[in-house]
Amino acid sequence: MIDTIRQILALDPPKKNVTVEGWVRTARSGKGVAFLEINDGSCLAGLQLVIDPEMPGFEEIARVGVGAAVRAVGELTESPAKGQRVELKAAGVEIMGPSQDDYPLQKKRHSFEFLRTISHLRPRARTFGAVFRVRHALQMAIHNFFDSRGFIQVHTPIITAADCEGAGQMFRVSTFDPGNPPMKDGAVDHASDFFGEETSLTVSGQLEAEAFALAFKNVYTFGPTFRAENSHTSRHASEFWMIEPEMAFCDLAGDMELAEDFIRSIVKTVLDRCDEDITFLDQWVEKGLRAKLEALTGSKFEILTYTEAVEFLGQAKREFEYPVSWGADLQSEHERYLTEELLGRPAFVIDYPRDIKAFYMRVNDDGKTVAAMDLLVPHVGEIIGGSQREERLDVLESNMELFEIDPKDYWWYLDLRRYGGVFHSGFGLGFERMLMYVTGMQNIRDVIPFARTPGNAKF
């Protein structure tokens, strides 16, 4: 099996004879010798090939273009060049896939805006190589965290008839001719559609995960979710991935404890596994990235109620773009003030007003607030949202009436309260937003391989 460049560079002492494959990152010639730096995506660093004129095919190899795919065999030797421990003295180089002169990734740095137009090639750029290696490490850290605690992963449906958030911003799924759907009594007849009712792409796997939590106790989902929200901000995408654990016999305090352990664990794993990539992103994307992440893993997480948060914001000696008042949702500027200026550390805000949260959240004894929690972190604001779920059948039915939700559409969800229902809790973490936090990238389009946003469903 052919070694990766990551494996080759880690060899101590260096392995003498190696075969390596990759793509040409830079090519130059001088004084009767040619140099190719190749990278195979296994790590940030490349491996320099030193090609002597006596090597068969030297003239062709010396003219190889940036972006070409090559396979090289040769001997690893100590490198006299600064910044690299070894180089490969090539005995043979084979061009596996040539590259044309108009290859768009040349030596100069390109803007992220330009690279979004060539998302099929941008993984070869150093920044995006780092981002997507971190993406892999982060998702493995998530799975390992839950697996180590005995959680069962549940693959919840992508096509659903339930709107978990009640916002209505969902992509419809239908086999109807959009120009001529069947009608009945002046409305579209969904009963004759493929699924026999109106269906959409899911916005959350939470409700289905609750059903499994009430059988397996601790479960989690990790899958794609969709929002038909016509938003063009740097934090919104139409398709993104969500992590949603659900725990039976767990109250809000237990929910927060898990969320805190979870965030600490996955950030620490990324720091441990992706040292080289974090160093690069710290230098070129967000100055102070490593210090920010290390501070989070060592911080004490504060807990304050929504009412306390509103009082602190009202006492702030600064003006906010959005007015602060009890009953209004907190905005990003409010969340960042609390964590960056007031507290200087991550914080849970709990007990939000009932009217601004979802129907499934457990109503507190005051009747005005619910057992909800948001985890706020410096530089971002909210990164996790969760709650204790309402397990009391009569209160849940009352909530549905308050939010104008037809109980007949959620008969199975109500059944979970009729048959062995118990107090339970969960939370949701947007995977790409977490990835933005740990990489320092400022636009969600730059942490998704092929972003889906309003007006864009191509590369």
Side-chain angles (χ1 to χ4, degrees):
M1 185 174 179
I2 295 172
D3 290 333
T4 65
I5 290 177
R6 181 185 182 91
Q7 292 169 325
I8 289 170
L9 296 179
L11 293 172
D12 190 17
K15 184 178 179 181
K16 286 297 182 182
N17 297 307
V18 300
T19 300
V20 65
E21 298 166 335
W23 292 267
V24 176
R25 181 177 277 171
T26 62
R28 58 189 175 90
S29 301
K31 296 184 180 181
V33 66
F35 300 94
L36 300 180
E37 182 194 355
I38 68 169
N39 181 267
D40 64 1
S42 62
C43 62
L44 185 68
L47 179 64
Q48 179 169 275
L49 312 184
V50 182
I51 305 168
D52 191 275
E54 297 178 1
M55 190 195 77
F58 173 80
E59 293 298 329
E60 181 185 11
I61 299 301
R63 295 193 301 271
V64 72
V66 173
V70 300
R71 174 186 292 155
V73 296
E75 181 180 348
L76 281 180
T77 61
E78 291 186 9
S79 175
K82 185 179 180 181
Q84 58 187 28
R85 185 171 63 91
V86 295
E87 59 189 18
L88 183 70
K89 186 176 181 181
V93 178
E94 180 182 1
I95 300 175
M96 307 295 289
S99 181
Q100 299 183 16
D101 292 340
D102 60 353
Y103 178 66
L105 294 175
Q106 299 293 338
K107 282 186 177 180
K108 67 179 183 178
R109 289 179 60 82
H110 300 285
S111 70
F112 293 155
E113 289 80 5
F114 168 73
L115 291 171
R116 285 177 209 135
T117 69
I118 54 167
S119 55
H120 58 303
L121 295 174
R122 71 175 181 173
R124 303 188 202 177
R126 287 162 66 88
T127 298
F128 288 93
V131 167
F132 291 117
R133 278 187 296 272
V134 172
R135 184 181 176 109
H136 168 74
L138 186 63
Q139 74 166 348
M140 293 307 297
I142 290 166
H143 286 300
N144 290 337
F145 174 85
F146 287 119
D147 184 63
S148 70
R149 290 172 175 248
F151 278 66
I152 298 292
Q153 184 182 9
V154 182
H155 295 128
T156 53
I158 291 175
I159 299 174
T160 181
D163 180 1
C164 176
E165 299 299 324
Q169 297 171 322
M170 303 174 75
F171 290 102
R172 292 193 179 95
V173 176
S174 174
T175 58
F176 285 161
D177 177 353
N180 188 32
M183 305 295 289
K184 183 177 181 180
D185 298 329
V188 175
D189 182 17
H190 293 288
S192 60
D193 204 349
F194 187 90
F195 291 105
E197 60 184 318
E198 187 173 4
T199 54
S200 306
L201 296 179
T202 185
V203 298
S204 169
Q206 177 203 314
L207 301 188
E208 294 87 353
E210 285 187 52
F212 270 71
L214 294 177
F216 295 95
K217 192 173 180 181
N218 295 325
V219 303
Y220 75 104
T221 73
F222 190 165
T225 53
F226 308 85
R227 298 283 172 88
E229 182 178 0
N230 191 18
S231 175
H232 298 264
T233 76
S234 62
R235 289 167 56 85
H236 288 86
S238 302
E239 175 184 314
F240 54 96
W241 287 65
M242 286 285 291
I243 302 98
E244 298 173 289
E246 288 291 327
M247 297 80 66
F249 304 96
C250 178
D251 60 12
L252 187 65
D255 200 24
M256 290 190 289
E257 181 179 356
L258 183 81
E260 182 172 346
D261 290 347
F262 175 61
I263 290 293
R264 288 189 198 280
S265 176
I266 62 176
V267 170
K268 188 176 186 305
T269 298
V270 168
L271 286 169
D272 291 342
R273 284 193 55 177
C274 303
D275 179 73
E276 181 186 43
D277 291 320
I278 294 298
T279 297
F280 174 85
L281 294 167
D282 193 321
Q283 180 180 1
W284 295 103
V285 176
E286 181 186 336
K287 299 291 186 184
L289 175 64
R290 182 183 296 277
K292 177 188 79 174
L293 298 178
E294 289 176 345
L296 182 139
T297 63
S299 293
K300 175 186 176 184
F301 287 26
E302 296 283 348
I303 300 176
L304 64 158
T305 67
Y306 168 88
T307 299
E308 290 171 334
V310 169
E311 290 174 355
F312 285 132
L313 291 165
Q315 296 165 6
K317 293 180 172 56
R318 56 165 293 183
E319 291 187 7
F320 295 106
E321 180 180 355
Y322 295 92
V324 180
S325 61
W326 202 97
D329 210 353
L330 299 183
Q331 302 297 317
S332 179
E333 61 174 338
H334 306 143
E335 296 166 344
R336 293 191 60 178
Y337 169 80
L338 292 170
T339 56
E340 294 171 28
E341 298 183 44
L342 180 69
L343 302 173
R345 55 174 59 109
F348 288 103
V349 176
I350 65 172
D351 298 341
Y352 280 81
R354 180 184 187 182
D355 293 345
I356 65 172
K357 288 297 184 180
F359 76 94
Y360 52 75
M361 295 186 179
R362 194 180 200 278
V363 180
N364 290 326
D365 292 342
D366 61 15
K368 298 189 304 180
T369 64
V370 289
M373 65 89 171
D374 286 343
L375 175 58
L376 317 180
V377 296
H379 307 284
V380 170
E382 179 194 343
I383 203 163
I384 279 179
S387 73
Q388 185 171 333
R389 315 314 190 188
E390 183 56 77
E391 83 280 9
R392 297 164 297 184
L393 179 61
D394 59 335
V395 180
L396 182 58
E397 290 175 327
S398 175
N399 281 353
M400 288 182 169
E401 183 178 354
L402 177 67
F403 285 90
E404 299 181 347
I405 294 172
D406 189 346
K408 290 186 293 186
D409 294 335
Y410 292 85
W411 61 268
W412 61 272
Y413 192 65
L414 295 171
D415 268 1
L416 297 176
R417 278 69 182 168
R418 294 187 178 102
Y419 310 123
V422 69
F423 65 97
H424 59 288
S425 301
F427 62 79
L429 169 71
F431 182 59
E432 281 79 15
R433 288 197 181 179
M434 186 66 200
L435 190 58
M436 289 170 66
Y437 183 76
V438 299
T439 61
M441 299 296 282
Q442 297 299 304
N443 196 308
I444 196 170
R445 296 168 179 82
D446 296 327
V447 295
I448 300 177
F450 300 98
R452 296 294 179 254
T453 53
N456 178 49
K458 296 181 180 179
F459 294 114

